Amino acid sequence: MSRLFGTDGVRGLANRDVTAELALDLAVGAAHVLALRGEFSGPHPRAIVGRDPRASGEFLSAAVCAGLASAGVDVIDVGVLPTPAVAYLTGEMNADLGVMLSASHNPMQDNGIKFFDRHGYKLEDDVEDQIAAHMGEDWERPIGANVGRITSDLDAVNKYVDHIVETVNYSLSGLRVVVDCAHGAASQVGPEALRRAGAEVIVIGAEPDGLNINYEYGATAPRRMAAATVGHMAHAGVSFDGDADRCIASDEEGNVVDGDKIMGMLALAHAEAGTLKNNTLVTTVMSNLGLKLAMNERNIDTVQTAVGDRYVLEEMRRNGFSVGGEQSGHVLLSDYSTTGDGVLTALHLLSRLAEKRVKMSELASDIPSLPQTMINVKDVDKSRATADEGLAAAVRRAEEQLGATGRVLLRPSGTEPVVRVMVEAATQEQADEICQALADDVKAFLAL
């Protein structure tokens, strides 16, 4: 039986896979696990609940709040805020649990539910499984004064923005920056944080209506941001995804600067400042080989994990590392945050630009990339991706063709119904050709 929780909470088509009933049951299960673990003090445990602006988040958030309160948890509803803001506020406001309603970079029709512990970290797999196990069980419902209460905190946004701006060492005064908010959770806090840090901000993609989140804007569609950076003669552009735990950037010439380059630049900044703990950058298997080579040249170690920012963070916490992330734009700066934070990443990237007083294109050139192609193959049985012998043979043939000049990575997505095929090669033409051939193999071998 497959796990209810994926690599980033429970996610699926809203009101079909992720329903109000499921949200309520998950919330009750989480409350019961909290009680069993004894992880709260006082008469009632407390939870922070936030969401991104997609329409389904309205009823799902209401269901989560209702489930928690019905199980005796006091709820502080912080409304529309980025995922990392909910994580930060959970720890800052001494809550026992944080809940975020978001499907991150997924299209509007999807939604998800993710939980944070009292310190703002994503829950361990075993705790998630305990929550799932307690769903639907018989329980004694509190009555009278023992039920939870639901309140709002209108100042939560300022608490979060104040925190992330205070982490920046260099003023962004003099920098003109395009900010693409994906019509998502950072539509208010993203521009506000950069302005408070001193930047002149040109905002796009910041008119959420509940239906347009991630649509043709944001970190998964960065070309609009890159074009606006050139059009406004800005020094740089930054683009967030729907829940703002990712950041993708652009240089002044409109070249997209991905998560590999961003975390490479920030690792160099920390190394120069003497704050790169254990002199190590944590990446995933999806990171471009060019990043590892650039770090090697500067005597910085790299450690690879499975794909997923939670696995990067687990490695960082286990070994005391301070900088890590994913090519997709999840960047983790553990000195300041317990999870990937797009707005925080943007602030530190632009602070590095202000410090070095060079163009973003020059800064990014320190982190070269080998030619790379990735194709997301839809409408296939991703559960068989790692077990099909015919597909495994096709991957081996591709690896033999590439030799020492490249690599192949084929993996089922943990958050979407797709199989990802990634190829790095000596030339872009070769990467494109081999990646497309493997994508065709995936369709053939894993057809539904």
Side-chain angles (χ1 to χ4, degrees):
M1 182 177 178
S2 61
R3 293 184 72 236
L4 175 63
F5 287 84
T7 57
D8 199 17
V10 177
R11 192 178 297 188
L13 186 62
N15 216 26
R16 184 171 298 173
D17 302 319
V18 182
T19 63
E21 294 86 353
L22 175 66
L24 190 146
D25 287 347
L26 275 168
V28 171
H32 290 168
V33 169
L34 267 181
L36 287 172
R37 291 162 64 94
E39 291 189 352
F40 63 93
S41 57
H44 292 211
R46 300 168 70 239
I48 304 293
V49 177
R51 64 180 179 89
D52 70 25
R54 65 189 77 212
S56 58
E58 297 168 3
F59 72 79
L60 290 173
S61 177
V64 165
C65 291
L68 289 170
S70 74
V73 178
D74 287 337
V75 177
I76 303 171
D77 185 351
V78 295
V80 175
L81 278 179
T83 290
V86 172
Y88 168 73
L89 291 167
T90 300
E92 176 66 17
M93 298 173 68
N94 296 314
D96 302 288
L97 180 72
V99 189
M100 179 68 185
L101 288 299
S102 176
S104 190
H105 60 284
N106 283 27
M108 177 277 296
Q109 58 265 31
D110 291 345
N111 216 322
I113 305 170
K114 63 186 79 174
F115 294 94
F116 297 96
D117 68 18
R118 58 169 46 191
H119 305 293
Y121 290 105
K122 292 178 181 178
L123 299 184
E124 300 289 344
D125 288 353
D126 67 318
V127 181
E128 291 179 336
D129 290 340
Q130 289 176 42
I131 291 173
H134 282 282
M135 292 171 60
E137 67 180 1
D138 292 332
W139 57 292
E140 184 176 349
R141 299 172 184 271
I143 58 174
N146 291 324
V147 301
R149 306 295 297 273
I150 302 174
T151 58
S152 299
D153 186 340
L154 300 179
D155 194 45
V157 59
N158 288 318
K159 294 174 184 174
Y160 168 65
V161 172
D162 286 346
H163 162 65
I164 58 176
V165 171
E166 287 172 359
T167 68
V168 176
N169 293 324
Y170 291 88
S171 170
L172 308 188
S173 178
L175 291 181
R176 181 184 298 119
V177 182
V178 169
V179 182
D180 178 357
C181 301
H183 297 304
S187 293
Q188 176 186 356
V189 304
E192 175 66 15
L194 294 179
R195 289 191 182 106
R196 288 196 200 178
E200 175 189 348
V201 177
I202 297 103
V203 184
I204 64 173
E207 299 177 4
D209 61 9
L211 307 178
N212 58 0
I213 188 170
N214 295 319
Y215 183 67
E216 296 184 349
Y217 283 85
T220 56
R223 289 296 174 187
R224 190 184 294 268
M225 173 268 299
T229 301
V230 175
H232 288 279
M233 294 184 288
H235 296 93
V238 292
S239 183
F240 312 124
D241 65 334
D243 70 334
D245 63 354
R246 296 187 184 192
C247 176
I248 296 294
S250 167
D251 68 19
E252 76 286 350
E253 298 175 351
N255 299 305
V256 173
V257 179
D258 66 15
D260 280 347
K261 289 183 176 289
I262 292 172
M263 62 179 158
M265 287 186 275
L266 294 182
L268 292 177
H270 279 258
E272 288 180 13
T275 56
L276 184 64
K277 293 177 181 175
N278 295 322
N279 197 46
T280 298
L281 171 65
V282 183
T283 71
T284 76
V285 293
M286 291 293 288
S287 282
N288 192 282
L289 184 59
L291 172 61
K292 181 176 181 179
L293 296 175
M295 296 297 99
N296 286 345
E297 288 179 4
R298 292 159 179 82
N299 298 314
I300 294 174
D301 297 327
T302 55
V303 174
Q304 283 191 338
T305 74
V307 174
D309 63 321
R310 67 181 299 166
Y311 302 116
V312 175
L313 183 59
E314 285 173 6
E315 179 68 24
M316 293 172 69
R317 293 181 69 187
R318 185 162 48 244
N319 292 294
F321 302 134
S322 55
V323 181
E326 297 188 281
Q327 187 183 72
S328 60
H330 286 122
V331 177
L332 294 114
L333 303 173
S334 64
D335 288 340
Y336 316 110
S337 179
T338 59
T339 188
D341 189 328
V343 183
L344 177 73
T345 298
L347 285 166
H348 281 257
L349 176 63
L350 295 169
S351 177
R352 176 66 167 172
L353 187 63
E355 173 194 1
K356 300 300 286 186
R357 297 182 179 275
V358 297
K359 294 180 178 179
M360 180 63 82
S361 57
E362 295 178 56
L363 207 59
S365 67
D366 287 337
I367 315 296
S369 297
L370 295 183
Q372 185 183 83
T373 302
M374 186 169 73
I375 298 176
N376 293 326
V377 186
K378 302 178 180 179
D379 302 320
V380 294
D381 183 0
K382 71 174 186 177
S383 67
R384 295 191 287 116
T386 58
D388 189 273
E389 293 182 2
L391 187 56
V395 170
R396 288 194 296 271
R397 288 193 296 271
E399 290 173 335
E400 291 171 1
Q401 188 176 351
L402 289 166
T405 64
R407 66 186 182 112
V408 172
L409 182 65
L410 188 149
R411 54 175 288 274
S413 170
T415 58
E416 298 178 80
V418 300
V419 172
R420 304 196 197 283
V421 182
M422 188 272 284
V423 174
E424 288 175 353
T427 67
Q428 190 63 57
E429 181 180 9
Q430 186 183 34
D432 292 345
E433 179 182 341
I434 294 177
C435 193
Q436 184 59 61
L438 278 175
D440 293 340
D441 288 332
V442 170
K443 291 178 183 178
F445 287 111
L446 303 183
L448 292 171

Short mmCIF file of all heavy atoms in Angstrom, two decimals, residues 364-396:
data_model
loop_
_atom_site.label_atom_id
_atom_site.label_comp_id
_atom_site.label_asym_id
_atom_site.label_seq_id
_atom_site.Cartn_x
_atom_site.Cartn_y
_atom_site.Cartn_z
N ALA A 364 27.16 35.17 -12.00
CA ALA A 364 26.69 33.84 -12.37
C ALA A 364 27.72 33.05 -13.17
O ALA A 364 27.69 31.81 -13.17
CB ALA A 364 25.40 33.95 -13.17
N SER A 365 28.63 33.75 -13.84
CA SER A 365 29.62 33.06 -14.67
C SER A 365 30.59 32.22 -13.83
O SER A 365 31.29 31.37 -14.37
CB SER A 365 30.40 34.07 -15.51
OG SER A 365 31.22 34.90 -14.70
N ASP A 366 30.64 32.46 -12.53
CA ASP A 366 31.49 31.65 -11.66
C ASP A 366 30.98 30.21 -11.54
O ASP A 366 31.70 29.32 -11.08
CB ASP A 366 31.56 32.26 -10.26
CG ASP A 366 32.41 33.53 -10.21
OD1 ASP A 366 33.27 33.69 -11.09
OD2 ASP A 366 32.19 34.33 -9.29
N ILE A 367 29.71 29.99 -11.93
CA ILE A 367 29.09 28.66 -11.80
C ILE A 367 28.66 28.20 -13.20
O ILE A 367 27.52 28.41 -13.61
CB ILE A 367 27.88 28.68 -10.86
CG1 ILE A 367 28.17 29.48 -9.58
CG2 ILE A 367 27.46 27.24 -10.53
CD1 ILE A 367 29.25 28.89 -8.72
N PRO A 368 29.56 27.58 -13.97
CA PRO A 368 29.20 27.13 -15.32
C PRO A 368 28.24 25.94 -15.28
O PRO A 368 28.11 25.25 -14.26
CB PRO A 368 30.54 26.72 -15.92
CG PRO A 368 31.35 26.29 -14.73
CD PRO A 368 30.94 27.19 -13.60
N SER A 369 27.55 25.70 -16.40
CA SER A 369 26.64 24.56 -16.51
C SER A 369 26.99 23.73 -17.74
O SER A 369 27.23 24.28 -18.82
CB SER A 369 25.18 25.04 -16.63
OG SER A 369 24.78 25.73 -15.48
N LEU A 370 27.02 22.42 -17.56
CA LEU A 370 27.12 21.54 -18.72
C LEU A 370 25.77 21.50 -19.43
O LEU A 370 24.73 21.68 -18.80
CB LEU A 370 27.50 20.12 -18.27
CG LEU A 370 28.87 19.91 -17.64
CD1 LEU A 370 29.07 18.43 -17.33
CD2 LEU A 370 29.97 20.42 -18.54
N PRO A 371 25.76 21.29 -20.76
CA PRO A 371 24.48 21.19 -21.48
C PRO A 371 23.58 20.14 -20.84
O PRO A 371 24.01 19.02 -20.56
CB PRO A 371 24.90 20.78 -22.90
CG PRO A 371 26.29 21.34 -23.04
CD PRO A 371 26.91 21.18 -21.68
N GLN A 372 22.34 20.50 -20.60
CA GLN A 372 21.41 19.63 -19.87
C GLN A 372 20.02 19.74 -20.46
O GLN A 372 19.57 20.83 -20.82
CB GLN A 372 21.38 20.02 -18.39
CG GLN A 372 20.54 19.12 -17.51
CD GLN A 372 20.50 19.63 -16.07
OE1 GLN A 372 19.70 20.50 -15.75
NE2 GLN A 372 21.35 19.08 -15.21
N THR A 373 19.33 18.63 -20.55
CA THR A 373 17.95 18.60 -21.03
C THR A 373 17.12 17.76 -20.08
O THR A 373 17.57 16.70 -19.62
CB THR A 373 17.85 17.99 -22.44
OG1 THR A 373 18.67 18.73 -23.34
CG2 THR A 373 16.41 18.01 -22.95
N MET A 374 15.91 18.25 -19.76
CA MET A 374 15.00 17.47 -18.92
C MET A 374 13.62 17.46 -19.55
O MET A 374 13.13 18.49 -20.01
CB MET A 374 14.91 18.01 -17.50
CG MET A 374 14.08 17.11 -16.59
SD MET A 374 14.17 17.52 -14.83
CE MET A 374 13.19 19.02 -14.80
N ILE A 375 13.00 16.29 -19.60
CA ILE A 375 11.65 16.12 -20.13
C ILE A 375 10.79 15.44 -19.07
O ILE A 375 11.20 14.42 -18.49
CB ILE A 375 11.65 15.27 -21.42
CG1 ILE A 375 12.47 15.98 -22.52
CG2 ILE A 375 10.22 15.02 -21.90
CD1 ILE A 375 12.60 15.16 -23.79
N ASN A 376 9.63 16.01 -18.79
CA ASN A 376 8.66 15.40 -17.90
C ASN A 376 7.68 14.59 -18.74
O ASN A 376 6.95 15.14 -19.56
CB ASN A 376 7.89 16.46 -17.10
CG ASN A 376 8.79 17.19 -16.12
OD1 ASN A 376 9.70 16.61 -15.56
ND2 ASN A 376 8.53 18.48 -15.91
N VAL A 377 7.68 13.27 -18.57
CA VAL A 377 6.84 12.38 -19.36
C VAL A 377 5.54 12.12 -18.60
O VAL A 377 5.56 11.54 -17.51
CB VAL A 377 7.57 11.06 -19.66
CG1 VAL A 377 6.72 10.21 -20.62
CG2 VAL A 377 8.95 11.33 -20.26
N LYS A 378 4.43 12.50 -19.19
CA LYS A 378 3.12 12.37 -18.56
C LYS A 378 2.40 11.11 -19.05
O LYS A 378 2.80 10.46 -20.01
CB LYS A 378 2.25 13.59 -18.87
CG LYS A 378 2.85 14.91 -18.42
CD LYS A 378 1.94 16.07 -18.81
CE LYS A 378 2.52 17.41 -18.38
NZ LYS A 378 1.65 18.54 -18.77
N ASP A 379 1.31 10.79 -18.37
CA ASP A 379 0.42 9.71 -18.77
C ASP A 379 1.12 8.36 -18.86
O ASP A 379 0.93 7.59 -19.83
CB ASP A 379 -0.27 10.05 -20.10
CG ASP A 379 -1.06 11.33 -20.02
OD1 ASP A 379 -1.71 11.56 -18.99
OD2 ASP A 379 -1.01 12.12 -21.00
N VAL A 380 1.99 8.09 -17.89
CA VAL A 380 2.66 6.79 -17.79
C VAL A 380 2.55 6.30 -16.34
O VAL A 380 2.20 7.05 -15.44
CB VAL A 380 4.15 6.88 -18.20
CG1 VAL A 380 4.28 7.21 -19.68
CG2 VAL A 380 4.90 7.90 -17.35
N ASP A 381 2.85 5.02 -16.15
CA ASP A 381 2.79 4.42 -14.81
C ASP A 381 4.13 4.67 -14.11
O ASP A 381 5.07 3.89 -14.24
CB ASP A 381 2.52 2.93 -14.93
CG ASP A 381 2.39 2.25 -13.56
OD1 ASP A 381 2.51 2.96 -12.54
OD2 ASP A 381 2.19 1.02 -13.53
N LYS A 382 4.21 5.77 -13.35
CA LYS A 382 5.49 6.13 -12.75
C LYS A 382 5.92 5.14 -11.68
O LYS A 382 7.10 5.08 -11.33
CB LYS A 382 5.43 7.55 -12.17
CG LYS A 382 4.59 7.72 -10.92
CD LYS A 382 4.74 9.14 -10.38
CE LYS A 382 4.03 9.29 -9.04
NZ LYS A 382 4.23 10.65 -8.47
N SER A 383 4.98 4.33 -11.16
CA SER A 383 5.34 3.37 -10.11
C SER A 383 6.28 2.29 -10.62
O SER A 383 6.96 1.63 -9.84
CB SER A 383 4.08 2.73 -9.52
OG SER A 383 3.43 1.90 -10.49
N ARG A 384 6.34 2.09 -11.95
CA ARG A 384 7.20 1.05 -12.52
C ARG A 384 8.52 1.60 -13.06
O ARG A 384 9.31 0.88 -13.66
CB ARG A 384 6.46 0.32 -13.65
CG ARG A 384 5.24 -0.46 -13.17
CD ARG A 384 4.69 -1.38 -14.26
NE ARG A 384 4.01 -0.64 -15.31
CZ ARG A 384 4.40 -0.58 -16.58
NH1 ARG A 384 5.50 -1.21 -16.97
NH2 ARG A 384 3.70 0.09 -17.47
N ALA A 385 8.75 2.91 -12.85
CA ALA A 385 9.89 3.56 -13.48
C ALA A 385 11.23 2.96 -13.08
O ALA A 385 12.16 2.89 -13.89
CB ALA A 385 9.88 5.05 -13.18
N THR A 386 11.35 2.54 -11.84
CA THR A 386 12.64 2.02 -11.37
C THR A 386 12.73 0.51 -11.43
O THR A 386 13.78 -0.06 -11.08
CB THR A 386 12.89 2.49 -9.91
OG1 THR A 386 11.83 2.02 -9.08
CG2 THR A 386 12.97 4.00 -9.84
N ALA A 387 11.66 -0.15 -11.88
CA ALA A 387 11.64 -1.62 -11.86
C ALA A 387 11.59 -2.24 -13.25
O ALA A 387 11.89 -3.43 -13.40
CB ALA A 387 10.45 -2.11 -11.04
N ASP A 388 11.23 -1.47 -14.27
CA ASP A 388 11.06 -2.04 -15.60
C ASP A 388 12.42 -2.37 -16.22
O ASP A 388 13.28 -1.49 -16.38
CB ASP A 388 10.31 -1.05 -16.51
CG ASP A 388 9.92 -1.68 -17.83
OD1 ASP A 388 10.76 -1.64 -18.77
OD2 ASP A 388 8.81 -2.20 -17.94
N GLU A 389 12.62 -3.64 -16.57
CA GLU A 389 13.93 -4.08 -17.08
C GLU A 389 14.22 -3.50 -18.45
O GLU A 389 15.38 -3.17 -18.76
CB GLU A 389 13.96 -5.61 -17.12
CG GLU A 389 13.93 -6.25 -15.73
CD GLU A 389 14.02 -7.76 -15.81
OE1 GLU A 389 14.16 -8.30 -16.94
OE2 GLU A 389 13.98 -8.41 -14.74
N GLY A 390 13.21 -3.39 -19.31
CA GLY A 390 13.43 -2.82 -20.64
C GLY A 390 13.88 -1.38 -20.56
O GLY A 390 14.79 -0.95 -21.29
N LEU A 391 13.28 -0.61 -19.66
CA LEU A 391 13.66 0.79 -19.49
C LEU A 391 15.05 0.89 -18.90
O LEU A 391 15.85 1.76 -19.30
CB LEU A 391 12.64 1.49 -18.59
CG LEU A 391 12.80 3.00 -18.43
CD1 LEU A 391 12.78 3.69 -19.79
CD2 LEU A 391 11.69 3.55 -17.54
N ALA A 392 15.38 0.01 -17.96
CA ALA A 392 16.72 0.01 -17.37
C ALA A 392 17.78 -0.26 -18.43
O ALA A 392 18.85 0.35 -18.43
CB ALA A 392 16.80 -1.04 -16.26
N ALA A 393 17.48 -1.15 -19.37
CA ALA A 393 18.42 -1.43 -20.46
C ALA A 393 18.59 -0.22 -21.36
O ALA A 393 19.71 0.07 -21.82
CB ALA A 393 17.93 -2.63 -21.25
N ALA A 394 17.51 0.51 -21.61
CA ALA A 394 17.59 1.72 -22.43
C ALA A 394 18.46 2.77 -21.76
O ALA A 394 19.24 3.48 -22.42
CB ALA A 394 16.19 2.27 -22.68
N VAL A 395 18.35 2.90 -20.44
CA VAL A 395 19.18 3.84 -19.70
C VAL A 395 20.66 3.44 -19.79
O VAL A 395 21.53 4.29 -20.01
CB VAL A 395 18.74 3.92 -18.22
CG1 VAL A 395 19.74 4.72 -17.39
CG2 VAL A 395 17.35 4.55 -18.11
N ARG A 396 20.94 2.14 -19.66
CA ARG A 396 22.33 1.69 -19.76
C ARG A 396 22.91 2.00 -21.14
O ARG A 396 24.08 2.42 -21.25
CB ARG A 396 22.42 0.19 -19.47
CG ARG A 396 22.21 -0.16 -17.99
CD ARG A 396 22.64 -1.59 -17.71
NE ARG A 396 21.82 -2.56 -18.42
CZ ARG A 396 20.68 -3.08 -17.93
NH1 ARG A 396 20.24 -2.69 -16.74
NH2 ARG A 396 20.02 -3.98 -18.63
#
